[in-house]
Amino acid sequence: MTKYGSFPGTRPRRLRTTPAMRRMVAETRLHPADFILPAFVREGVSEPVSISSMPGVVQHTRDSLKKAAVEALEAGVAGIMLFGVPEEAKKDAFGTPGTDPDGILQVALRDVRAEVGDELLVMSDLCLDETTDHGHCGVLDDQGRVDNDATLERYAEMAQVQADAGAHIVGPSGMMDGQIGVIRDALDQIGREDVAILAYTVKYSSAFFGPFREAVGSSLKGDRKTYQQDPANARESLRELALDLEEGADMVMVKPAGPYLDILARVADASDVPVAAYQISGEYSMIEAAAEKGWIDRDKAILETLTGIKRAGAQNILTYWATEVARNLR
């Protein structure tokens, strides 16, 4: 082959020649402390219950949850985010189990905090959807609409009981207007200025939440489009970010992660607090299902998606693979 001068003069492939070379020049690295493990605990069960749409994930008993928390700690995971699944008969229109000190989430918070102390961040989902008989994230008015301000009163109560139960961090996920400010005030009023708030700043009304509904035993009929964000919109995410920061959010989050990496990047660029992203149930289940079919390499796909989320700007990632991946990185 005839050579024309030194063309090509620039050869980026030199930095891709071997695994050692690629490791050395990698711009994005995953670390066990990047991860937060979401975990479900179900009231009234004696053995963990498999979630059919999320292979490998279970609704824990109180004892198996404590074991999962210890395993996450030993793997180097930063935190565990708890979701409570109350007995169906205890659900009501106001989500009473969410503010009952003996509700399953509060009991689980005490259990896990007693098991891991301050070595693992114990985090709590602050929302009514798991505890209401209608499945919405808030209180309904007489026309069946979610009443924003009445819901804020319930969130304030939830924040206080979750803090009393041992949560280091509360995660308000309901997408009510003003929720961060109200929760911050509620925590400060009981002297819990030490409890941080992870704001679900950007939460889209997504088809990828499907398996999660099974995981928490959701009673929802209909959808949450009047309070979760429209997938078509981007600018309003930055508006939500500005509001949450003004109201006192300590950290902010984008949910889902994979379909909204552009939003994650914009939020990360604009935020002066840590940014998290939640790789949600549908993202998890698609990879597990495709891998089970032999269509993709499971382990490589997991790492690729997590690397993409971190590359887009997430400092922390909530993922159901948290403990597994953290172990493999050590």
Side-chain angles (χ1 to χ4, degrees), residues 170-235:
V170 295
S173 60
M175 294 300 289
M176 296 297 119
D177 295 338
Q179 63 184 13
I180 302 305
V182 166
I183 290 167
R184 182 72 271 159
D185 285 347
L187 291 169
D188 292 352
Q189 285 175 18
I190 62 168
R192 296 312 306 270
E193 296 88 353
D194 58 320
V195 175
I197 300 176
L198 169 59
Y200 282 60
T201 293
V202 180
K203 185 177 181 183
Y204 283 97
S205 180
S206 172
F208 294 99
F209 286 127
F212 181 88
R213 306 269 168 89
E214 178 189 353
V216 297
S218 175
S219 303
L220 181 68
K221 302 293 189 295
D223 58 50
R224 300 187 172 112
K225 292 182 179 180
T226 63
Y227 44 102
Q228 293 177 355
Q229 289 175 236
D230 185 341
N233 294 344
R235 282 193 300 270

Side-chain angles (χ1 to χ4, degrees), residues 30 35 55 279 283-292 296-311 317-326 328-329:
L30 296 172
F35 302 120
Q279 185 181 53
E283 298 176 73
Y284 172 92
S285 297
M286 286 192 302
I287 289 177
E288 290 288 350
E292 190 275 331
I296 60 172
D297 183 309
R298 176 184 180 275
D299 294 348
K300 290 180 180 178
I302 291 170
L303 287 177
E304 185 174 339
T305 57
L306 293 172
T307 299
I309 294 167
K310 187 171 183 182
R311 188 185 64 242
I317 304 171
L318 285 81
T319 176
Y320 300 98
W321 291 302
T323 300
E324 175 188 340
V325 173
N328 292 337
L329 290 173

Side-chain angles (χ1 to χ4, degrees), residues 261 264-265 267-269 273-277 307-316:
L261 295 181
L264 174 57
V267 168
D269 285 344
V273 301
V275 176
T307 299
I309 294 167
K310 187 171 183 182
R311 188 185 64 242
Q315 183 171 333
N316 296 107

Side-chain angles (χ1 to χ4, degrees), residues 36-38 79-83 121-126 162 168-175 179-180 183-184 187 195-202 244-245 248-255 271 273-278 315-318:
I36 297 164
L37 176 68
I80 184 169
M81 174 69 82
L82 303 186
F83 296 84
L121 289 171
V122 180
M123 310 165 77
S124 57
D125 178 59
L126 199 164
Q162 290 179 1
H168 293 104
I169 301 171
V170 295
S173 60
M175 294 300 289
Q179 63 184 13
I180 302 305
I183 290 167
R184 182 72 271 159
L187 291 169
V195 175
I197 300 176
L198 169 59
Y200 282 60
T201 293
V202 180
D244 283 354
L245 293 176
D250 299 288
M251 296 167 278
V252 297
M253 183 158 66
V254 175
K255 180 179 182 181
S271 177
V273 301
V275 176
Y278 197 146
Q315 183 171 333
N316 296 107
I317 304 171
L318 285 81

